Every structure is written in structure tokens, then in C-alpha cells.
């Protein structure tokens, strides 16, 4: 597990949860559940308490699902294994959330929750259905936002399970190594051609052998007459002296002699 990948997953989760379509879906789901009060919550809880209960349940389970999906996307390379693991972990987290929330709101102790297993299961299923529906509702917006529009042509050259957001492109003999948020792959082409297919404005060349996506730079530091960029996923890309002004103009290094 790479710290950079974890930080990226957290950042992506926060960004996803603040999308307009996602927020609208969350609010709509909470209002519907708060008004209808399924599984007896309309009798047990008042309007405000009911809204708080279902609001917490929807937001927490949905957030857990999104974060799990982003982490699995970073850590697991095989698409089928990634999907299965994401479902299993999300289900386990949602169950834990339901149990803890019910204990807090209703005062149910873990020892007598077994007598309410059917109610807990029903609430869990509602939470998962709502979270899945909201995630599907926002999927179109999320997918389109990964690369600000249509995916760059370069991604079509990669295996399906490696097609994520572009991170960097580096020369490897007669190949280029294309690194994305889903992994990396070697492609037989020139760096200049790969940069063109990455899309104008998506990133910058920082070395005769390296290109980076500017929005995937996690940190930058000076080392003598050159600089080092730490990318999403934790790998480092050198910046030659020739390209130092370029990365300064991109806002990746401060102007002047300060070191970050």
C-alpha cells in the first residue's frame, strides 16, 4: 500500500461527495426516507430525529462505499477481484455503521441486537440500495470529470484495467511507460506522440524523458540544479534544469529561491 495512493483516494472521495449531482441525490434520498419513515422509524422517531438518523445512515454508508471503491481502484490491479473486494468491504462497513448507529440512537446493546436481526438487515439493505443508486446516478458525471471531457486517445492503447487518470509518461528504451491511477503499461511509441495523445493542457514535459499530469503532482522539491516531483502513487519524476521555469510557471515550484 502506497501512502500517495491512499491520499489520492481520500481526495477523490471528498471531490466526488461534493459534486452537485451527488449532493442533490443525497438530499433527495434523505428527505424521502425521513418523510416515509420505513421500518417503524416513523413511530419511534420524531421528524428531526428521523431526518438525522436516515441522513447519517445514507451519508455514512454512501461515503464508505465511495472510499472503498477508490481504495480498491488504487490497490487492486485485477478488475474482477477489485469489484468483488469492493462489494464485500462496502457491505461489511455498512453493517458496522448500521449496528453502531442503532446502538447510539436506539440504545440497543450488541447483545440484544440478535433479536432485531431482521430489522437491521432491512435497514442495511435500504442503505445499500440507496447508496448504490446514488453512486450510479453520479457515475456519468464522475467518469466525465476524470479527464475533463472525453478520455485522451492515449488511454485507448492501454489494457482496460489500466485506463485511469493519466499520471505520468516516461521513456523506456523504444517504449513509453504510461502511468495512470489504475496502474502502468508499456506502449511502443515515441514520447512526443504519447504527449500529443495525452491531450493539450493535460500536463507538461519536465525532462527529455518524462511528462507529468500537473493535477497528479503531490509534492515538489529542489535538489541542486534540478527538481523532483512526487506523483500520485508515490513514484518520483526528475525535472531537468532546462524545465525548471516550466514547472514554476505551472505553479509547482515557488518563484525565487525557496525550496518546498
Amino acid at each position: 500500500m502506497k501512502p500517495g495512493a491512499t491520499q489520492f483516494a481520500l481526495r477523490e472521495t471528498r471531490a466526488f461527495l461534493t459534486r452537485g449531482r451527488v449532493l442533490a441525490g443525497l438530499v433527495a434520498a434523505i428527505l424521502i426516507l425521513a418523510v416515509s419513515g420505513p421500518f417503524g422509524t416513523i413511530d419511534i422517531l420524531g421528524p428531526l430525529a428521523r431526518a438525522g438518523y436516515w441522513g447519517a445512515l445514507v451519508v455514512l454508508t454512501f461515503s464508505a462505499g465511495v472510499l472503498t471503491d477508490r481504495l480498491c481502484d488504487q490497490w487492486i490491479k485485477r478488475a474482477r477481484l477489485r469489484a468483488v473486494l469492493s462489494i464485500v468491504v462496502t457491505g461489511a462497513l455498512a453493517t458496522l455503521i448500521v449496528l453502531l448507529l442503532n446502538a447510539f440512537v436506539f440504545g440497543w446493546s450488541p447483545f440484544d441486537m440478535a433479536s432485531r436481526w431482521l430489522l437491521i438487515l432491512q435497514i442495511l439493505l435500504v442503505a445499500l440500495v440507496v447508496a448504490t443508486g446514488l453512486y450510479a446516478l453520479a457515475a456519468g458525471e464522475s467518469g466525465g470529470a476524470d479527464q475533463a471531457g472525453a478520455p485522451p486517445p492515449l488511454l485507448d492503447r492501454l489494457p482496460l484495467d489500466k485506463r485511469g487518470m493519466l499520471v505520468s509518461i516516461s521513456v523506456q528504451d523504444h517504449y513509453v511507460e504510461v502511468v495512470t491511477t489504475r496502474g502502468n503499461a508499456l506502449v511502443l511509441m515515441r514520447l512526443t506522440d504519447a504527449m500529443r495523445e495525452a491531450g493539450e493542457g493535460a500536463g507538461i514535459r519536465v525532462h527529455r524523458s518524462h511528462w507529468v499530469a500537473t493535477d497528479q503532482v503531490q509534492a515538489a522539491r529542489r535538489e541542486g540544479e534540478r527538481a523532483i516531483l512526487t506523483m500520485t502513487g508515490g513514484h518520483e519524476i526528475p525535472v531537468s534544469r532546462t524545465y525548471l521555469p516550466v514547472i514554476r510557471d505551472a505553479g509547482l515550484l515557488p518563484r525565487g529561491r525557496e525550496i518546498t
Side-chain angles (χ1 to χ4, degrees), residues 206 212 217 219-221 227-231 235-239 247 252:
V206 297
V212 299
V217 177
R221 69 180 188 273
I228 301 293
L229 302 178
T230 302
M231 308 302 298
H235 69 286
E236 296 185 335
I237 298 291
V239 181
I247 66 170
L252 301 179

Side-chain angles (χ1 to χ4, degrees), residues 65-216:
V66 174
L67 179 58
T68 299
D69 177 75
R70 293 297 191 267
L71 289 172
C72 289
D73 187 53
Q74 293 294 308
W75 295 339
I76 309 298
K77 302 302 182 184
R78 297 177 58 185
R80 183 172 299 179
L81 177 61
R82 185 169 61 238
V84 172
L85 186 61
S86 180
I87 292 171
V88 171
V89 174
T90 298
L93 288 175
T95 301
L96 180 62
I97 289 169
V98 170
L99 291 174
L100 293 177
L101 188 62
N102 286 345
F104 177 77
V105 174
F106 302 115
W108 297 350
S109 100
F111 300 103
D112 63 12
M113 281 189 183
S115 63
R116 300 180 172 89
W117 66 269
L118 180 59
L119 177 59
I120 292 172
L121 179 61
Q122 290 172 329
I123 294 175
L124 173 61
L125 289 175
V126 168
L128 288 176
V129 168
V130 170
T132 302
L134 288 170
Y135 191 80
L137 177 66
E141 181 180 341
S142 175
D146 281 348
Q147 286 289 351
L154 181 59
L155 292 183
D156 293 338
R157 298 178 180 272
L158 307 184
L160 287 175
D161 63 337
K162 301 297 177 63
R163 297 181 186 179
M165 294 166 52
L166 286 173
V167 176
S168 65
I169 307 170
S170 300
V171 174
Q172 297 284 352
D173 295 326
H174 298 295
Y175 295 80
V176 292
E177 182 185 32
V178 181
V179 180
T180 74
T181 54
R182 289 181 180 268
N184 61 288
L186 292 176
V187 180
L188 182 60
M189 64 189 308
R190 298 181 303 173
L191 178 61
T192 52
D193 294 332
M195 288 166 53
R196 185 179 65 252
E197 291 192 6
E200 185 178 355
I204 55 176
R205 189 170 188 169
V206 297
H207 189 281
R208 63 189 179 95
S209 301
H210 301 285
W211 173 98
V212 299
T214 51
D215 62 348
Q216 299 299 319

